[in-house]
Amino acid sequence: MQTVSVKELLSGKQLQQEVTINGWVRTFRSNRFIALNDGSTINNIQCVVDFENFDETVLKQINTGSALRIGGTLVKSQGKGQSFEIQVNDIFVHGNADPDTYPIQPKKHSLEFLREKAHLRVRTNTFSAIMRVRSALSFAIHNYFRNNGFHYFHAPIITGSDAEGAGEMFRVTTLDEKNPPLTEDGTVDYKADFFGKETNLTVSGQLEAEAYAMGLGKVYTFGPTFRAENSNTSRHLAEFWMIEPEMAFFDLHDNMDLAEDFIKDVISYVLEHCQEDLAFLEKRLLDEEKSKPQAERSPMPLLEKLKFVVDNNFKRVSYTEAFDILRNSKPNKKKKFQYPIDEWGVDLQSEHERYLVEKHFNCPVILFDYPAKIKAFYMRLNEDGKTVRAMDILFPGIGEIVGGSQREERLDVLKQKIADLGIDEKELWWYLDLRRFGTAEHSGFGLGFERLVLFATGMGNIRDVIPFPRTPQNAEF
Ligand code: ATP
Ligand code: MN
């Protein structure tokens, strides 16, 4: 059957024509006005029913949540609030929603309540707006990389290397949990497991992406990653999507330039293509913030904040400079930080990151050249022998959104690092091969997709920007 979307209808091109649309009822007022939504836009189309023309049994099934097919004429609206509406002459009920049990009623539901109804929450304005923005952002990401000479690379999801995520990985096994085969010393014999070794869900596709960058030049991954970290925060998921570009012949500065340009580009894309959804989310945020104390309100409305990021340079600061700023800061002197900043080399906690971004610089910040001790083994050692070419991008209200580095391309230095950490070189044999055969300067970073969606939508909890969140004690749906 030839149908049109609500989005198309609202453009008015079919004025005075007979049209057919499918959708779900948002509200049904006065036995006369149906607000129908089909997910194509945040806006509903008003369908005007002359109830005398319809059977009571049909009208009774038109409840919030019912799925309908409506036929009628698109006309200019007489009423306020919409420019077009449909004069209904035909209604088919695909499926009714019982008003006594359908949980999504036309009133304000809390985000917590809707998390428990994750299978239905996309039928609200808020979640449909978030998920359309999420979808547009994914498209923008692929688009950016395609336009900049990158190849899309699929990193494996099951990984045999555990060098990266020690202790934070989900094991993948087909062994009998009640009666696993044991080795002579009584431990589980993974040689008898499906892959003949211990395997896990990946925490990052980086190591594999490096292999591909050293042949394809510029690659990126965009896929699910898994972390069994028991951090119940509003910024962490056990399953999240990560974008990981990896570029041969890029140094740390090229890497920072790319990351900044990339973020600005995808935010510009949604500013241009998701105007109605963003306007709705901005208004939602302003309403929500009215109930908060002044100090907790965000200083800029959503759209302004997004434009600010696009139009301004990110502030680039070395760890050492940031350390000095923090050490001399008021909260540090007054002992207000939970983790005091005293000795060079301490890891920065989110309270410090927030101070830098939200109080001191008031803009996105790229921190670089971190102490080697607090960063991963594969980051390139600087000439000072104590810092590595790492860079983290910190965003207001979010904290860390990107973590990246220039990679150590020198075989001897990398081997030393691995040995110092007590990692068995054999486990990384193929990774070390990349340094044996045609090694070169290269860099990359990981951007947590949900953190980007959090920023773009102004939402506060990462559980609300992924369709079905996976967090400790929660894998319903
Ligand atoms: P954090 O300190 O916030 O836990 P991280 O240092 O563990 O982050 P990386 O290992 O550098 O993060 O991962 C790269 C990016 O992936 C981060 O900058 C962040 O955007 C995102 N990220 C990391 N862990 C999570 C998670 N559990 N849920 C959602 N996104 C995450
Ligand atoms: Mn982490």
Side-chain angles (χ1 to χ4, degrees), residues 239-374:
E239 176 181 295
F240 65 100
W241 287 65
M242 183 142 66
I243 298 115
E244 295 179 276
E246 192 69 38
M247 298 76 65
F249 316 113
F250 266 49
D251 69 12
L252 185 66
H253 292 277
D254 302 327
N255 200 19
M256 292 195 266
D257 290 344
L258 178 83
E260 181 169 346
D261 187 55
F262 164 63
I263 293 175
K264 287 178 170 172
D265 184 90
V266 298
I267 297 284
S268 308
Y269 181 91
V270 290
L271 273 169
E272 191 184 339
H273 292 89
C274 303
Q275 288 173 18
E276 289 172 339
D277 289 321
L278 292 177
F280 172 85
L281 290 166
E282 170 171 288
K283 188 171 168 302
R284 185 199 154 270
L285 204 61
L286 290 172
D287 289 347
E288 188 186 82
E289 294 201 330
K290 277 186 197 139
S291 60
K292 284 191 191 163
Q294 192 74 39
E296 283 174 33
R297 295 183 196 172
S298 56
M300 284 185 209
L302 181 61
L303 289 164
E304 203 182 314
K305 193 180 71 170
L306 299 182
K307 286 189 192 121
F308 180 87
V309 164
V310 172
D311 294 337
N312 289 282
N313 290 336
F314 296 5
K315 182 82 191 165
R316 299 184 188 189
V317 193
S318 73
Y319 168 92
T320 303
E321 289 169 78
F323 171 79
D324 286 336
I325 293 168
L326 287 166
R327 195 182 43 185
N328 297 321
S329 70
K330 252 198 212 152
N332 195 49
K333 288 186 166 158
K334 291 189 171 166
K335 309 222 178 308
K336 289 271 163 63
F337 285 142
Q338 197 187 338
Y339 298 87
I341 296 286
D342 39 25
E343 254 182 88
W344 187 93
V346 289
D347 204 355
L348 303 183
Q349 306 294 327
S350 77
E351 56 179 348
H352 309 127
E353 298 178 345
R354 294 193 77 141
Y355 176 85
L356 288 172
V357 175
E358 286 158 30
K359 295 273 178 326
H360 191 84
F361 290 113
N362 259 310
C363 69
V365 172
I366 312 185
L367 286 184
F368 62 94
D369 283 352
Y370 279 75
K373 282 218 175 73
I374 58 173

Side-chain angles (χ1 to χ4, degrees), residues 25 28 55-68 93-97:
V25 177
F28 185 31
D55 210 63
E56 183 70 11
T57 55
V58 172
L59 293 174
K60 261 197 160 146
Q61 294 187 69
I62 305 177
N63 298 306
T64 296
S66 300
L68 306 181
V93 181
H94 291 285
N96 179 24

